[in-house]
Amino acid sequence: MKNAYLQRVYDQVLARDPNEPEFHQTVHEFLSSLENLVDDHPEWEKNGILERFVEPDRIVSFRVSWVDDEGKVQINRGWRAQFNSAIGPYKGGIRFHPSVNQSVIKFLAFEMVLKNGLTTLPIGGGKGGSDFDPHGKSDGEIMRFCQAFITELYRYIGQFSDIPAGDIGVGAREIGYMFGQLKRINGQFQSAILTGKGLTYGGSLMRTEATGYGICYYTQEMLKKLCSTEFTGKTVIVTGSGNVAIYCAEKVRQLGGLVVAMSDSNGYVYDPDGIKLDVIKDIKLNRRGRIKLYADEVPGATYTEGCRNIWDVPCKIALPCATQNEVGAEEAKKIIAGGCIALAEGANMPCTTEAVEMLHAAGIPVGPAKAANAGGVSTSALEMTQNSIRMSWSFEEVDERLHAIMRSIFQASYDASVAVGKPGNLVVGANVASFLKISQAMLEQGIY
Ligand code: NDP
Ligand code: 2IT
């Protein structure tokens, strides 16, 4: 980094936590985005704003002990990073995946802070999770794990302090088990303590669809402003086949795009006629099966082992919706060679730094995750609003609010990119637009 203050802050992060590569990656991207701005804000250094911004308010880590179906006691690790509460209570999902560690939780929480700052809603940033692997576990094991996890976490969360939701490996089923256990512990029905709840007990219509739909609303704005085009008639690749990917693909279809390939962690399926989402939903949501089954069941579709090779298939619009760093230099090369015109990040940080640089160099706009996938957490905040006023809004009402939020996120990011002399660089724009708001709130609240 050219600016000495930015470099100093980054060096301190590296020195303090040398073993956190994912966290370094997100902090580096953020600090680099401030290069053209930092000299205009001497109050940041004077008040230690950046030093405070890259250091979580706190992280709790805990042991999770649970009993498997054989009666054996299993031990996992759990974390919750409460990163920044300048503009609202900590808000962000919980991830259950064997790759979870403190670095992953910190990068996700840091992204949440900036994402939530873009949503226009009063939420700070946090994230939690465990290295528990839900694959192949029985429903009883999932329930016992969720109960054990939240029994450790419950003392740190609440509707005015920290409100978790889902992420990889945590959907409506897991939120339900955690909510039930919280009710037993607290002896109270505290609706807004978790979001992504079932519709029968305080969930919001559209929360399930919100992240995926929101990605497409954001991408529509990108396509219009930066490529003078729209989804209609374009081939699209959506990676992953979880909550985000499925509803992203559904909205692409509604907007006239053709999703030709999707994946899971084992491999990908290619269907030149367009992926049939009812089949994917049945395999993934009802049967909790592998995506390979799609090729067995749909004539004309093929399955290829190895999820990263999905970019061998050319597409006009790339929407990676699986996990962090799934698009590296190799994948970016293929995306560019395939004639892609725009990429929006549905997963959190799916592109490596190098991949983003390559895409930008090839003139392909990149919609960063903290903007493109902010529809999920925005709708979580709308769920909290409905819980607080003890009402529930219609699907159409929530959808309309979500659409307006995604438009405003794009506009604010685009305007910020222009203001700092990087027009169309939505990565820089999102970081700047959000940080200007959060840093102002930090300054106004004094030293803490
Ligand atoms: P799900 O658990 O529903 O689905 C995850 C999908 O990604 C599955 O298809 C899974 O395959 C695949 N996947 C997970 N880990 C890997 C890996 N290491 N390598 C390859 N594929 C992998 O999670 P979500 O759809 O909720 O989350 C997907 C992404 O979207 C994550 O980055 C998450 O942080 C982000 N996100 C989620 C939001 C939400 O509201 N749920 C909101 C905003 C962002 P398999 O089944 O084989 O494991
Ligand atoms: O990464 C994310 O934005 C989420 N996992 C959703 C968080 C939330 O609180 O809804």
Side-chain angles (χ1 to χ4, degrees):
M1 267 163 275
K2 288 184 219 87
N3 180 278
Y5 175 40
L6 295 177
Q7 188 63 46
R8 224 170 24 251
V9 172
Y10 186 59
D11 287 342
Q12 186 161 48
V13 169
L14 294 180
R16 278 200 168 134
D17 294 300
N19 301 316
E20 299 187 345
E22 292 87 359
F23 183 58
H24 301 161
Q25 187 179 334
T26 183
V27 168
H28 188 273
E29 179 210 279
F30 162 72
L31 291 172
S32 308
S33 294
L34 302 180
E35 289 271 22
N36 289 359
L37 198 62
V38 64
D39 286 339
D40 301 337
H41 291 274
E43 73 281 12
W44 290 348
E45 184 163 7
K46 181 165 184 294
N47 290 279
I49 290 289
L50 289 175
E51 293 88 331
R52 281 194 272 156
F53 195 73
V54 299
E55 187 67 25
D57 289 356
R58 68 193 64 80
I59 302 176
V60 290
S61 72
F62 44 89
R63 188 187 70 229
V64 186
S65 312
W66 57 283
V67 183
D68 70 16
D69 285 347
E70 272 71 57
K72 165 123 185 41
V73 176
Q74 300 287 345
I75 308 298
N76 286 96
R77 281 190 168 173
W79 290 267
R80 184 79 182 166
Q82 298 181 330
F83 218 106
N84 187 300
S85 63
I87 63 168
Y90 309 108
K91 181 86 196 85
I94 291 174
R95 175 178 292 191
F96 293 164
H97 193 273
S99 62
V100 166
N101 56 37
Q102 184 162 296
S103 173
V104 169
I105 294 299
K106 278 176 71 180
F107 114 69
L108 288 165
F110 190 74
E111 286 279 307
M112 277 322 300
V113 173
L114 288 158
K115 182 188 309 193
N116 295 356
L118 288 169
T119 62
T120 72
L121 302 166
I123 39 179
K127 198 89 178 198
S130 171
D131 56 5
F132 173 74
D133 185 0
H135 286 113
K137 300 291 188 298
S138 72
D139 194 54
E141 288 176 324
I142 296 286
M143 183 179 75
R144 290 194 296 280
F145 180 79
C146 289
Q147 290 174 339
F149 180 88
I150 209 70
T151 300
E152 289 303 320
L153 189 59
Y154 91 93
R155 66 188 84 241
Y156 306 104
I157 63 174
Q159 64 163 324
F160 299 116
S161 54
D162 185 357
I163 306 97
D167 194 81
I168 290 179
V170 178
R173 172 179 63 165
E174 291 74 19
I175 292 292
Y177 292 148
M178 289 193 257
F179 189 79
Q181 181 73 352
L182 282 170
K183 213 169 46 165
R184 287 163 94 185
I185 296 172
N186 292 326
Q188 286 180 342
F189 196 106
Q190 297 179 10
S191 301
I193 196 169
L194 294 177
T195 61
K197 297 182 292 293
L199 295 177
T200 53
Y201 63 95
S204 174
L205 283 163
M206 255 220 87
R207 175 63 188 88
T208 307
E209 295 86 352
T211 311
Y213 281 22
I215 293 161
C216 294
Y217 296 152
Y218 178 90
T219 308
Q220 272 185 304
E221 300 301 310
M222 265 177 87
L223 291 172
K224 191 163 60 183
K225 184 81 186 179
L226 302 173
C227 311
S228 308
T229 190
E230 53 189 21
F231 270 107
T232 318
K234 306 273 186 312
T235 52
V236 181
I237 289 181
V238 177
T239 66
S241 48
N243 168 265
V244 176
I246 286 175
Y247 293 97
C248 179
E250 182 168 284
K251 185 53 80 176
V252 168
R253 197 68 208 243
Q254 287 172 16
L255 295 172
L258 188 72
V259 178
V260 292
M262 292 181 77
S263 57
D264 63 18
S265 57
N266 293 117
Y268 73 90
V269 289
Y270 169 57
D271 187 340
D273 299 329
I275 296 278
K276 285 151 201 68
L277 268 182
D278 49 341
V279 180
I280 293 282
K281 281 184 185 174
D282 184 48
I283 294 170
K284 284 288 163 185
L285 304 180
N286 299 337
R287 293 189 263 159
R288 296 185 187 272
R290 309 308 302 162
I291 206 162
K292 185 177 192 299
L293 289 172
Y294 183 92
D296 298 341
E297 296 172 17
V298 178
T302 53
Y303 173 76
T304 307
E305 197 70 25
C307 53
R308 293 184 82 108
N309 297 327
I310 192 168
W311 305 109
D312 288 338
V313 179
C315 68
K316 283 280 172 218
I317 299 167
L319 303 173
C321 293
T323 195
Q324 65 269 10
N325 293 330
E326 58 176 295
V327 177
E330 274 306 297
E331 291 75 24
K333 216 183 289 170
K334 291 179 189 173
I335 291 170
I336 296 164
C340 177
I341 59 164
L343 179 146
E345 297 184 325
N348 284 308
M349 203 170 77
C351 296
T352 64
T353 310
E354 197 182 0
V356 173
E357 282 167 7
M358 288 167 68
L359 292 161
H360 276 161
I364 299 171
V366 176
K370 59 178 71 77
N373 75 26
V377 73
S378 299
T379 307
S380 277
L382 299 178
E383 180 174 331
M384 290 159 64
T385 305
Q386 294 168 79
N387 294 155
S388 296
I389 61 174
R390 296 169 190 273
M391 295 270 289
S392 45
W393 297 330
S394 68
F395 190 94
E396 290 69 27
E397 176 152 11
V398 181
D399 192 28
E400 212 169 286
R401 287 176 191 269
L402 170 66
H403 208 144
I405 289 168
M406 297 314 295
R407 279 202 206 97
S408 105
I409 289 174
F410 177 83
Q411 198 57 49
S413 307
Y414 181 79
D415 291 348
S417 78
V418 173
V420 297
K422 301 253 180 188
N425 186 327
L426 300 171
V427 177
V428 168
N431 285 325
V432 167
S434 183
F435 183 66
L436 285 174
K437 174 178 178 177
I438 298 167
S439 58
Q440 186 61 32
M442 288 172 73
L443 283 165
E444 288 175 17
Q445 291 171 42
I447 309 301
Y448 65 92

